[in-house]
Amino acid sequence: MSGPGAETATHCPYCALQCGMRLRPTEASGPGAVPVEVTERPDFPVNRGALCGKGRSAPALLARGVRLTGPLVRDRPGGPLRAAGWDEALDRVAAGVRTARERHGADAVGVFGGGGLTNEKAYQLGKFARVVLGTANIDYNGRFCMSSAAAAHRRAFGLDRGLPFPLADVPHTGCLILVGANPADTMPPALRYFRELRENGGTLIVVDPRRTRTAEQADLHLQPRPGTDLALALGLLHLVIADGLVDEAFVAARTTGYERARAAAMAHWPDRVERITGIQVSQLRRAAELFGHAATGMVLTARGPEQQSKGTDTVGAWIDLCLATGNAGRPYAGYGCLTGQGNGQGGREHGQKADQLPGYRSIEDPAARAHVAAVWGVDPDALPRAGRSAYELLDGLGGPDGARALLVMGSNPVVSAPNAAHVTARLRTLDLLVVADLVLSETARLADVVLPVTQWAEEDGTTTNLEGRVILRRRAVDPPEGVRGELWLLGELARRLGVERGFPADAEQVFDELRRASAGGAADYSGISYRRIAAEDGVFWPCPDPAHPGTPRLFLDRFATPDGRARFAAVTHRPAGEEPDREYPLYLTTGRVLAQYQSGAQTRRVAELNAAAPGPFVELHPRLAERLGVADGDPVAVVSRRGRAVAPARVSAAIRPDTVFMPFHWPGAGRANSLTNPALDPVSRMPEFKTCAVRVERAVAGEPADLAERAHRAERAERAAAPGHTADERAAG
Ligand code: SF4
């Protein structure tokens, strides 16, 4: 802040919309005081002042009663965490890293990052892994989030940016298909764009197994079986071709591979697609007509079609529909992905992914290695090769070839990873688990060393929103005395591990190096500066020099492939990794609710959000509920081949009768990811969160009390007992 009482223009810490907001100092004082309040920032173009409850309540996490305020260490396995100083904690980490390396080699130290980290932190974490640790084993939770869309983007267009156009273009398209996206719950301020689209005469089609609040606003809602979006896209392409709605001139001038895609689509005739998806032929025809006849069309996907073991091909099929109808590389048309996490876009561009270096460069590309090594002042041959993807990294922990020490930064895999009980067991086998977080998350509770870090309002840094717009978060308040930034702690660890230079704590300094490292890469930030971002309300990448205006719209002249043409994927439908059978006759699909965010590590600590969404539930259709003899609110158990979860039934005709839904924000007995299937997409290595086979049964007598309640009580007691926590939490426990 520039003076007493001054407001700071910044952005929300949560989702990829990165809404603009202002922070105004409060008069509050005392141990649990919240130092700032959120006010609107109508001049920021993406959300124009609108915020959801998560953003409005975000300052609650700045209060001392809620967050960690000093490092914690555990003296022996199974022992309690106790308070420690920074030197002791960092010395312990450095010693553990050295031991793991000496005994098992450099790859025995793993790093697990997060899609919520700023660009500077993601960049520095990748550099730290490669230069200081020398490990190939770094990946991040964004692999769970949108890596299939990224892979499909690169395959089709030669470049991955979630939206190739600003959100402001959406109201001007003729027909929009939203696939597996529920912005009414995940990013409510974005709904305005879809409303405006309809006010302008455009049509909105929503594809979702549930009749969500987003689907309620659609002109047409298609409700497929989970895991069948690929067949649906091919069925629509089939009808578009059969009805003569292909844009032949566009296909000839700007694409390759159409004939193979055409052959694949023609094998997915309407009756067959109805059998696979459960969507009636009449509805398929209506959707194909609306999209095929529109002057311009867009398809936006989110986690629904992406979090599948065939997610890359599924997104590829939707892109093929766009390409065949000429809806790409021209105004108000195209395919895009609605990124989920706060820095889901930037987090995947600057080197915390197992196979990438900054600027979206491949770690296996000799020229890329040489460029980045020169910026880092190291020998290119010293840089590790590609490491394991996120689930493979977690699955291997403590095993013969797996990491023995792990640094987790900005992630909570105990709740958010698939097959979470197995992942938790692997985390327990580590010789050293280090977690840097702002709260004592479920993963931090397993750690040997917990490092308390600054949060959004306490630091400067950039993120890149779902449009590819690089924006600036500004420090509004000082962090508590015992809290440090991740950039600082990476520098301190580097120094302890023998690297004295190259890890500054100042975010702008790191960003300036990131600019050089990204120069000439696909995600070129070299023309972007803090000053420009502040002056221009964000700058769209690529922006290769300071005089360049940035690139709000991609591909208008050519696609980023070697020949400048977009590539059809030409894919065919295949079943999910696990389909319902006699023993597990239902589909489970998972997702988010309005008042919680991701693993809930932050939002579950905000009273008003918890009041709105206090716990997990199992949404099931009235017909299924009747068959099971279950009433609304009754405890039910959902069982998969990997585990069991217990939560109250929420009976609703909004969901398919063959499908149940659970939100994934909660740990303990109601943890949805105890059930999910880690089947991986062969290209993106994305796990199949969105569909697995389950059965639902009435919970055995006392089960929810024994499991859910016990887990809840244990969580509160453990949190209250941990050093660094406050009287508030102790009292609550
Ligand atoms: S929509 Fe997303 S970015 Fe906007 S206030 Fe809500 S959580 Fe924050």
Side-chain angles (χ1 to χ4, degrees), residues 11-21 47 50-56 186-190 592 597:
H11 296 269
C12 174
Y14 294 120
C15 86
L17 204 56
Q18 287 294 281
C19 291
M21 57 168 58
N47 61 310
L51 295 165
C52 78
K54 297 183 289 278
R56 287 191 185 281
T186 57
M187 47 180 70
R592 287 168 51 182
Y597 177 71

Side-chain angles (χ1 to χ4, degrees), residues 214-473:
T214 308
E216 281 170 1
Q217 301 185 25
D219 297 283
L220 178 64
H221 173 208
L222 305 178
Q223 209 164 354
R225 294 188 179 99
T228 64
D229 314 78
L230 199 166
L232 173 58
L234 291 173
L236 298 184
L237 180 54
H238 178 111
L239 288 165
V240 160
I241 294 168
D243 292 348
L245 298 173
V246 171
D247 186 336
E248 305 281 358
F250 176 88
V251 168
R254 300 202 57 188
T255 71
T256 56
Y258 172 63
E259 281 310 317
R260 284 192 307 115
R262 181 181 188 284
M266 295 321 281
H268 292 75
W269 54 93
D271 290 344
R272 182 183 174 205
V273 172
E274 178 178 315
R275 279 197 303 278
I276 295 171
T277 63
I279 297 172
Q280 293 174 353
V281 170
S282 58
Q283 284 195 308
L284 296 172
R285 289 197 188 285
R286 175 99 180 103
E289 279 166 16
L290 286 172
F291 193 73
H293 283 290
T296 54
M298 290 179 178
V299 173
L300 302 181
T301 66
R303 306 301 81 72
E306 299 164 15
Q307 288 179 324
Q308 299 184 20
S309 60
K310 54 180 181 296
T312 304
D313 283 354
T314 301
V315 173
W318 287 104
I319 292 175
D320 282 3
L321 179 66
C322 288
L323 294 177
T325 49
N327 285 307
R330 64 188 178 108
Y332 312 130
Y335 163 78
C337 154
L338 295 172
T339 308
Q341 294 194 73
N343 197 24
Q345 181 67 48
R348 70 192 194 240
E349 297 165 356
H350 299 297
Q352 63 172 334
K353 227 173 156 183
D355 48 358
Q356 282 181 4
L357 290 171
Y360 233 137
R361 292 181 155 90
S362 166
I363 201 166
E364 300 294 349
D365 173 5
R369 294 169 67 86
H371 173 85
V372 174
V375 174
W376 289 350
V378 299
D379 180 352
D381 292 336
L383 295 178
R385 298 282 167 178
R388 297 179 181 190
S389 74
Y391 184 77
E392 292 163 298
L393 195 162
L394 296 172
D395 184 36
L397 293 177
D401 303 321
R404 309 300 290 254
L406 184 71
L407 169 60
V408 178
M409 198 174 271
S411 188
N412 187 17
V414 166
V415 179
S416 63
N419 198 11
H422 171 71
V423 166
T424 305
R426 301 315 306 166
L427 287 164
R428 289 185 194 280
T429 67
L430 287 165
D431 299 331
L432 175 71
L433 174 60
V434 182
V435 175
D437 209 325
L438 56 112
V439 294
L440 194 64
S441 70
E442 287 70 25
T443 306
R445 267 182 240 155
L446 301 181
D448 301 290
V449 181
V450 180
L451 303 173
V453 292
T454 50
Q455 51 180 311
W456 106 113
E458 299 164 344
E459 59 189 19
D460 292 332
T462 61
T463 59
T464 305
N465 81 347
L466 75 176
E467 306 168 289
R469 186 194 302 253
V470 185
I471 57 172
L472 185 57
R473 290 186 190 163

Side-chain angles (χ1 to χ4, degrees), residues 120-186:
E120 293 81 358
K121 294 178 192 177
Y123 170 84
Q124 202 77 320
L125 191 62
K127 180 180 176 185
F128 178 82
R130 275 67 180 239
V131 172
V132 179
L133 301 177
T135 181
N137 284 325
I138 173 171
D139 212 58
Y140 80 126
N141 65 16
R143 182 77 68 173
F144 297 160
C145 207
M146 31 48 55
S147 54
S148 290
H153 248 123
R154 283 199 305 278
R155 188 163 69 182
F157 306 124
L159 182 74
D160 160 40
R161 199 180 84 185
L163 293 182
F165 41 70
L167 271 172
D169 281 9
V170 168
H172 304 292
T173 196
C175 179
L176 170 66
I177 308 181
L178 268 183
V179 190
N182 181 18
D185 277 353
T186 57

